[in-house]
Amino acid sequence: MQGRIFNFVSVSAAVGILFLFATLWNLQSRDILYTNLEEYEKATPTKNTSTVPEEVVADNTTVSNTTETVEPTPEPTRLSFYEIANKWGTDKVTTHHYNHMYEKYLEPIRDKPLKMLEIGLGCNMDYGPGKSYYTWLEFLPNVDLYYIEYDKACVEKWAQNMTNVKIYTGSQSDTDFLNKFINSSGGGFDIIIDDGGHTMEQQITSLDKLFPIVKPGGMYFCEDLQTSYMEGYGAVPGAKTMMGVISELLNDLNVNVQGAPPLQHEVGREMRSVECGEEICGFFKKELGKTEVRT
């Protein structure tokens, strides 16, 4: 009995010893594995995951060919003639719709140096003078601005508040005054606008006397043509109206055949075209070298 017990103990001890040696061997193997991994990581270069530069110059300076997108700074939006005129309150765009004519013909040249005459400072307007004056100065930044105004007292009162403008006082239907103005101003206007008294005599006389001092290729505008149908402005039976003159000028522009009657208006010799809109007409002068002799 004792021999059996001894044999069992001996076997158990042997198994325990074997298990102990196996455990120690396993632990030693792990240490070797961990050591080998550490040595492997040290010996093996770390993989470069960064972006390879597109170009490397000789001094090892990295240069990227990638172009950085820079959003352009938007230019400030410039106001149109309508917006400027509406801001200053002139009836050119409130009561009337002259902006269509002026934006068509003046917008393309608004940044050029321009010599301009406007007849009528606005002294007879309920809102007072100067609305068109401020409009033109803002719309045409390089304008050399002239005015003809019949109300001398108004001019003396308001001229002190105005700069960059030359104002002549007199009546647009007075040919002697217009001659003096032509001599003093030197003529050569790129633009003339008749926004004066609107009577038939005033509009017709001004066109006859002032269209000749428009530069070749320049333009002349007559506003408020609705008065050609108003008795209070001289549109009485048998009288010549501004719209009647315009009709005759259109005939003159088309008198280009042999044996045609003489021109009814001398200014038609230098006129290239006439364009009319709502209560306004524009008269356009021929360019240099294109004036024709017509009899």
Side-chain angles (χ1 to χ4, degrees):
M1 182 67 178
Q2 289 179 351
R4 291 180 180 179
I5 294 173
F6 176 79
N7 290 336
F8 176 77
V9 172
S10 298
V11 172
S12 298
V15 171
I17 292 170
L18 291 173
F19 179 77
L20 177 61
F21 276 107
T23 302
L24 291 173
W25 177 259
N26 187 38
L27 290 173
Q28 185 179 6
S29 299
R30 289 183 181 180
D31 290 340
I32 293 173
L33 177 61
Y34 294 154
T35 302
N36 290 339
L37 284 173
E38 291 174 358
E39 292 176 353
Y40 175 78
E41 290 176 352
K42 290 178 181 179
T44 304
T46 303
K47 185 178 181 181
N48 187 2
T49 58
S50 62
T51 303
V52 178
E54 297 182 15
E55 180 182 354
V56 179
V57 295
D59 62 356
N60 294 325
T61 302
T62 302
V63 179
S64 175
N65 290 332
T66 303
T67 302
E68 183 180 357
T69 302
V70 178
E71 294 294 333
T73 302
E75 295 183 1
T77 302
R78 186 159 65 164
L79 297 180
S80 67
F81 175 81
Y82 174 83
E83 291 169 324
I84 294 172
N86 191 57
K87 178 179 72 173
W88 290 109
T90 171
D91 71 343
K92 292 184 188 298
V93 298
T94 54
T95 305
H96 308 288
H97 306 99
Y98 303 148
N99 50 294
H100 299 294
M101 186 73 77
Y102 294 141
E103 286 172 356
K104 178 178 180 179
Y105 288 106
L106 302 187
E107 175 66 33
I109 61 172
R110 65 184 293 187
D111 291 318
K112 294 182 178 181
L114 299 169
K115 187 175 182 180
M116 174 179 168
L117 164 67
E118 181 165 33
I119 304 172
L121 189 60
C123 290
N124 61 333
M125 301 301 294
D126 294 337
Y127 50 66
K131 305 303 183 182
S132 295
Y133 157 80
Y134 292 113
T135 297
W136 294 124
L137 285 185
E138 182 173 349
F139 181 67
L140 304 173
N142 299 305
V143 68
D144 182 15
L145 189 57
Y146 290 71
Y147 268 93
I148 288 176
E149 171 58 50
Y150 77 95
D151 190 337
K152 185 176 181 180
C154 173
V155 170
E156 291 175 347
K157 177 180 179 181
W158 289 97
Q160 57 186 346
N161 299 321
M162 297 179 177
T163 58
N164 300 322
V165 64
K166 304 172 185 68
I167 306 176
Y168 291 78
T169 55
S171 172
Q172 67 181 106
S173 61
D174 183 347
T175 56
D176 289 337
F177 164 74
L178 293 180
N179 285 330
K180 292 177 183 178
F181 167 78
I182 292 169
N183 291 331
S184 176
S185 66
F189 288 93
D190 298 282
I191 307 163
I192 295 180
I193 296 176
D194 182 357
D195 187 20
H198 315 322
T199 69
M200 301 305 99
E201 182 184 10
Q202 290 171 327
Q203 291 176 340
I204 295 170
T205 302
S206 296
L207 180 66
D208 287 340
K209 292 294 295 183
L210 298 178
F211 188 78
I213 65 170
V214 173
K215 283 183 180 179
M219 54 198 82
Y220 183 112
F221 298 95
C222 185
E223 299 180 355
D224 294 284
L225 290 171
Q226 73 278 5
T227 59
S228 282
Y229 309 95
M230 299 179 180
E231 185 175 342
Y233 290 88
V236 295
K240 186 178 290 292
T241 66
M242 185 61 180
M243 285 303 300
V245 169
I246 293 170
S247 178
E248 293 170 352
L249 281 169
L250 290 173
N251 289 329
D252 287 344
L253 287 173
N254 291 280
V255 174
N256 56 5
V257 295
Q258 187 175 3
L263 297 181
Q264 299 177 77
H265 297 277
E266 188 64 24
V267 293
R269 297 185 185 281
E270 299 180 291
M271 201 169 289
R272 173 175 55 80
S273 61
V274 177
E275 180 175 335
C276 294
E278 184 181 359
E279 302 173 341
I280 183 173
C281 283
F283 308 89
F284 301 89
K285 199 164 188 177
K286 292 179 180 179
E287 292 80 3
L288 281 173
K290 295 186 179 181
T291 301
E292 300 175 0
V293 177
R294 296 187 294 176
T295 57

